[in-house]
Each structure stands twice: as C-alpha cells, then as structure tokens.
Amino acid sequence: MSATLPPAPSGPAHTEGPESVAVVPGTAEQTGTSLWKDAFRRLRRNPAAIAGAVIVGVFLLVALLAPWLAPFGGEELPGRTEITPTEIPGPGDVEGYPLGLDRFGGDLLSKLIWGARASLVIGVVSTALGLAGGMLLGLLAGGFGGWVDSVIMRFVDILLSVPNLLLAVSIAAIMGQSQWAVMIAIGASQVPIFARLLRSSMLSQKGADYVLAAQTLGLSRSTITMSHLLPNSTGPVIVQGTLTLATAVIDAAALSFLGLGGGVPQTAEWGRMLTYAQAELAIAPQLAFLPGLCIAVTALGFTLLGESLRESLDPKSRTA
C-alpha cells in the first residue's frame, strides 16, 4: 500500500535555528554593540545627558576660543577712567562694555571669558594628575595584592581621612601661591578616589572567566594585568574622572577665593573675581553674581554628564 505524502508548503522553507529567531529592532542581538556604543546610545536618549553635554560643550568652546571671543585681554584695564570710589558701571552703563566693569576697570565680559579658560586648564590638568597618580596606586594594589595592597591602601586611607578641600588647601599653602600649586593640590586630593576605585574594579574582575582562561593558557601575571584586567577596569574610573572635573572647577575657585591661586588682583579667574567682589556687593552685585553663576552652571554640566554616563554604563542603575 502506498502512502500519500502531504503537499509541500508553497512558501520558502522554514528551518528552526538561530537564523530563524525573530529579532526585535534595537536589541543587542541585532546590533551586537559594545558596552561603550550601547552607553552612547543611551546617552543620546537621556535629556540630562544632553543638557550636560551642551553646557560642557559651550564651556569648552568659550575657553578654547577666548582670544577671539573676549573683547579685551585677561588683565587689560580699558575702563580705568570710568571707575569712581562710589560707582562701578554696570551692564549697559558704558558703551563698549556689555556687562559693565569691575573695580579695577577691566571689562567684566572679557574677565568671565578668560576665567573659563583658567578654570578649564586647572580642572583638566589637576584631574589628569589625580587620575595618573590614582591609577598608578590602584594598579599596583590591585595587580600585586598581598602586602603591597595593604601598604598602599593604608596610605590611601590616611589621605581619605582628610577632607578633600582641606587637603588641597594644606598642600597649596605649603607649595606657595601659584597656579601650579593649585593644580597639584587639587590633583593630590583626588588620588585616593581614583586609587580605591581602580583597585576595587580590578579585584572584581580577577574572578572573571576571561582571567581564568588566560591563567589556564599560562600567561604571566603582568600580561594578564596589563592586557586584560586594566583595560576592563577603567570604565568606572573614566566616569569618575568626568564627575571629578566638576569638583576640580569648584575647588579651583575656592582656592583662588582664599588667595592661594597666585597672580595679580586683576587676574581673570572666577574664584579671584569673587574675592574682590565682596567689598562691592552694595554698589555692583553683578561682580559676584556672574562669576558665581558661571561656576555653578559649569559644575552642573559636568555633574549631569558624569552621572548620566555612570547610569548608562551601570546595569543596576539603568532606567532605559
């Protein structure tokens, strides 16, 4: 007896397997993106990240283009003849000075623009110094472990026991009044943060499968540390560096406010401008309000961008 076979389907043959699984657009199965690309995709959809990026971008443009944007030099005093003991021209009072003058006769708009460059230089250099020192200590502690880890971490604990700003003030006071002293002081106060962060990140990676596989293949400890552990542990450190830039801008202004930033009284630096605006609050409140606003907005921009980056990289805190 012959059996009748069922008719073959008229459409294309359907085979079960990985190639037949439906893929939802935008998922990791379709895009195959890396961690950083996925984080960037999340940042583009985060309003806080966009706002922070805009603020930081404007700050960077103003700082980098200061020689072309500022009507006058950072220490020029073009309005000396317009200043009296009881009156300081404000916004619109004197033609050619949109935001008015300061006590020394400098153009306030120019001082704010050049102050952005000073804050950028101090913030970036001090954060770079703190990042380099902290990563070196964290790498030694996390890579070697044992007594090396114990010695380095006890030293870091001593530094952490002192508040950051107090430590920075102490170092700057010892080194003298100069911009380099401020940058080194702020950088030194950030070293413990980066050191502990990199060490903890490396320790959490040591038990990962790729490390065990590298050990099975007979790779040396130095090769595993530098080629595998370190590259996979720097993500949290980079995020912290973005957040630390906000702290560096505020600390730089605080040290200059305390008179530790060096320079002359008319130096264009936001913290120094606040120092000399105290005596003029009654007749020219804009001398204190505008530099303070610049400091607050710049720090807010770095904070928004850093927190958004942290959220996009940390699966536990992701909201989208």
Side-chain angles (χ1 to χ4, degrees):
M1 180 182 294
S2 60
T4 303
L5 297 176
S10 57
H14 176 76
T15 58
E16 294 185 357
E19 65 277 2
S20 64
V21 178
V23 179
V24 180
T27 59
E29 289 81 5
Q30 180 192 34
T31 59
T33 57
S34 65
L35 175 65
W36 286 101
K37 288 183 179 179
D38 184 60
F40 181 69
R41 177 180 62 83
R42 293 175 182 274
L43 285 176
R44 289 185 299 175
R45 300 186 303 178
N46 190 336
I50 295 174
V54 169
I55 294 174
V56 172
V58 172
F59 169 70
L60 293 177
L61 286 176
V62 170
L64 296 175
L65 301 178
W68 295 273
L69 295 177
F72 303 96
E75 296 185 3
E76 289 186 27
L77 305 176
R80 290 190 300 267
T81 58
E82 306 290 342
I83 303 297
T84 65
T86 59
E87 183 179 358
I88 300 176
D93 291 345
V94 180
E95 186 178 356
Y97 307 107
L99 298 181
L101 301 171
D102 62 9
R103 166 51 68 189
F104 306 101
D107 177 40
L108 186 56
L109 176 60
S110 300
K111 291 292 186 69
L112 292 174
I113 294 175
W114 284 103
R117 166 168 284 201
S119 297
L120 175 64
V121 171
I122 294 175
V124 171
V125 173
S126 61
T127 301
L129 293 175
L131 185 63
M135 289 190 67
L136 177 60
L137 294 180
L139 176 62
L140 293 175
F144 286 96
W147 67 269
V148 176
D149 182 22
S150 299
V151 171
I152 293 177
M153 284 301 103
R154 297 299 76 76
F155 172 70
V156 169
D157 290 340
I158 294 174
L159 294 179
L160 284 174
S161 65
V162 183
N164 281 3
L165 185 56
L166 181 58
L167 180 61
V169 169
S170 302
I171 296 174
I174 293 173
M175 295 187 62
Q177 299 180 1
S178 68
Q179 192 177 64
W180 271 107
V182 170
M183 291 188 288
I184 293 175
I186 297 175
S189 66
Q190 297 171 355
V191 166
I193 301 173
F194 292 118
R196 290 193 68 89
L197 191 59
L198 181 60
R199 170 187 176 270
S200 62
S201 182
M202 291 183 66
L203 291 180
S204 66
Q205 293 286 333
K206 277 190 172 181
D209 293 339
Y210 69 90
V211 176
L212 298 178
Q215 292 173 345
T216 304
L217 293 174
L219 297 181
S220 63
R221 182 169 63 177
S222 60
T223 302
I224 295 175
T225 301
M226 300 304 297
S227 301
H228 300 283
L229 276 178
L230 183 60
N232 287 282
S233 303
T234 54
V237 181
I238 295 174
V239 174
Q240 184 60 40
T242 307
L243 292 170
T244 305
L245 279 170
T247 307
V249 171
I250 297 175
D251 288 348
L255 293 179
S256 295
F257 180 80
L258 296 174
L260 298 173
V264 294
Q266 63 267 26
T267 298
E269 204 281 321
W270 291 341
R272 182 173 293 276
M273 293 170 68
L274 286 175
T275 301
Y276 291 97
Q278 294 182 86
E280 319 298 344
L281 290 177
I283 60 176
Q286 73 275 3
L287 297 181
F289 174 75
L290 293 178
L293 180 63
C294 291
I295 295 171
V297 172
T298 302
L300 176 64
F302 281 113
T303 301
L304 289 176
L305 185 59
E307 288 292 347
S308 300
L309 184 58
R310 171 184 290 176
E311 179 182 304
S312 64
L313 289 173
D314 186 5
K316 297 180 181 178
S317 61
R318 289 177 182 173
T319 58

